[in-house]
Amino acid sequence: MSSLPDQLLHILHQTNGEGLSDKALREYFGFKYDELVPHINDLLRANRLVLYTSADGALIYKAIEETIAAKLEGLGPEQMLVYQICEKVGNRGIWTRDIKIQTNIPQHTLTKTLKILEQRSLIKAVRSVTSKSKKLYMLFNTVPAKDITGGPWYTDQEFDREFVEDLARFVVQFVDAKGMASSAEIANRIRISGISKVDLSSEECDLVLQTLVYDGKLEEVRHQVVALTSPAAAGEGGKVYKISRPIHPPTYFTDVPCGVCPVFDKCQQGGVIAPETCLYMTQWLAMQGQDPSADLF
């Protein structure tokens, strides 16, 4: 049977970093809780446990991995406090100024503390794409939130225009070759093509498709049309796209009724079909603000 300290660490590791309250530990261990207290103190001193106070004032215990505990060995109170704050903020990170406000640690001491924690690979500094001059601190193995890094659209805090354009071109070519493709088909094709160095989520693929729709390169196909013309695409689920038909700007010739008149070749002055008696020409001149009775020629 495992020892009390091993049992404690085991159940804390099963919480996926959420930890357990002191009340929950008392309920779990029952009468053995009093025997557990000295072991809790030993684990705290060995940096195998960390103790927090929740928003409602409850004591929360969290387990620390043995490899992390070795890096924490020998840290002072200020350094442990900064580490715990960086752990608490998760993948959102925290500004140096906010760490200073929460800890009341003098600036020179805080600067030294952050440097020590970085040297031990306990925390890391990242820069947000929205504020490149400021550093955000978080635990070393934490993956920053996408709104901090900019997600797949940014490389080294710079918008990767070449990648975005290549991806858009790839999607348009794929849809053009298919004639019609569902969002699921397109997302799957992007994944297996290797054009993106990171896996794009469904939301990110949809963002690419919506951008192409706004740019006039793709258009969404109505479900009724999909069901009749491409049952396979309809079966994929989600929205279906096709190449957008180009919209040519009007010219003077196409704007005038004569440019699209089916009897243009038979139209002549004084004839049965003539400009001076043309109803369409009369209406068009009226829309242009001209006098329909004026001499056309």
Side-chain angles (χ1 to χ4, degrees):
M1 184 176 181
S2 59
S3 63
L4 285 177
D6 289 338
Q7 292 180 47
L8 173 61
L9 291 174
H10 178 70
I11 62 171
L12 289 178
H13 280 306
Q14 289 183 322
T15 65
N16 295 320
E18 294 297 322
L20 289 173
S21 66
D22 186 67
K23 180 181 178 181
L25 292 180
R26 288 176 182 272
E27 293 175 354
Y28 182 86
F29 287 96
F31 68 91
K32 290 186 177 181
Y33 178 83
D34 290 339
E35 298 178 38
L36 183 65
V37 172
H39 298 297
I40 289 177
N41 292 330
D42 290 340
L43 291 171
L44 286 170
R45 283 191 291 269
N47 295 320
R48 294 302 309 279
L49 289 183
V50 63
L51 182 61
Y52 291 97
T53 302
S54 66
D56 58 1
L59 294 178
I60 305 294
Y61 292 95
K62 293 184 181 181
I64 298 176
E65 295 290 344
E66 191 170 357
T67 53
I68 301 297
K71 295 179 181 180
L72 294 173
E73 186 176 355
L75 293 181
E78 294 92 352
Q79 295 155 355
M80 282 299 300
L81 180 58
V82 172
Y83 174 83
Q84 291 171 6
I85 288 175
C86 292
E87 182 180 30
K88 189 176 181 180
V89 296
N91 65 355
R92 305 298 308 172
I94 183 169
W95 305 118
T96 307
R97 182 191 62 182
D98 294 333
I99 297 176
K100 184 178 179 181
I101 292 173
Q102 292 186 32
T103 62
N104 291 319
I105 296 175
Q107 184 59 53
H108 69 280
T109 304
L110 179 58
T111 301
K112 183 178 179 181
T113 296
L114 292 171
K115 184 176 181 180
I116 291 173
L117 294 176
E118 284 188 274
Q119 288 175 340
R120 293 195 179 198
S121 297
L122 288 168
I123 65 172
K124 64 182 175 183
V126 298
R127 296 187 185 275
S128 171
V129 294
T130 59
S131 184
K132 300 176 184 178
S133 61
K134 295 182 179 179
K135 289 182 179 180
L136 284 168
Y137 288 92
M138 61 186 66
L139 293 190
F140 185 78
N141 292 325
T142 300
V143 177
K146 288 185 177 180
D147 59 339
I148 293 175
T149 63
W153 321 123
Y154 282 76
T155 301
D156 298 329
Q157 286 76 52
E158 295 292 338
F159 182 66
D160 196 341
R161 184 177 302 277
E162 182 179 356
F163 166 66
V164 173
E165 291 177 350
D166 287 345
L167 181 60
R169 193 179 303 111
F170 175 84
V171 171
V172 170
Q173 290 174 350
F174 174 70
V175 175
D176 190 25
K178 288 274 296 182
M180 198 178 293
S182 68
S183 56
E185 285 182 297
I186 297 169
N188 184 59
R189 183 61 182 173
I190 290 173
R191 277 191 288 270
I192 64 178
S193 69
I195 190 172
S196 175
K197 296 179 182 178
V198 297
D199 287 334
L200 300 182
S201 66
S202 298
E203 293 76 14
E204 289 163 343
C205 290
D206 288 341
L207 180 60
V208 174
L209 294 172
Q210 287 302 313
T211 301
L212 289 171
V213 170
Y214 296 145
D215 289 344
K217 296 180 179 178
L218 294 182
E219 62 182 68
E220 188 177 340
V221 186
R222 289 181 299 173
H223 288 291
Q224 298 91 329
V225 176
V226 176
L228 291 172
T229 60
S230 182
E236 291 285 341
K239 296 179 179 180
V240 175
Y241 298 89
K242 68 176 182 178
I243 297 297
S244 180
R245 291 171 294 181
I247 300 176
H248 300 291
T251 64
Y252 289 112
F253 186 70
T254 58
D255 191 37
V256 177
C258 304
V260 291
C261 182
V263 290
F264 174 78
D265 293 338
K266 300 177 181 179
C267 184
Q268 58 182 343
Q269 273 188 292
V272 177
I273 301 174
E276 59 268 26
T277 58
C278 178
L279 177 62
Y280 301 112
M281 180 64 75
T282 302
Q283 292 175 343
W284 180 77
L285 288 173
M287 288 188 295
Q288 303 303 311
Q290 297 182 27
D291 183 3
S293 63
D295 188 6
L296 295 176
F297 299 94

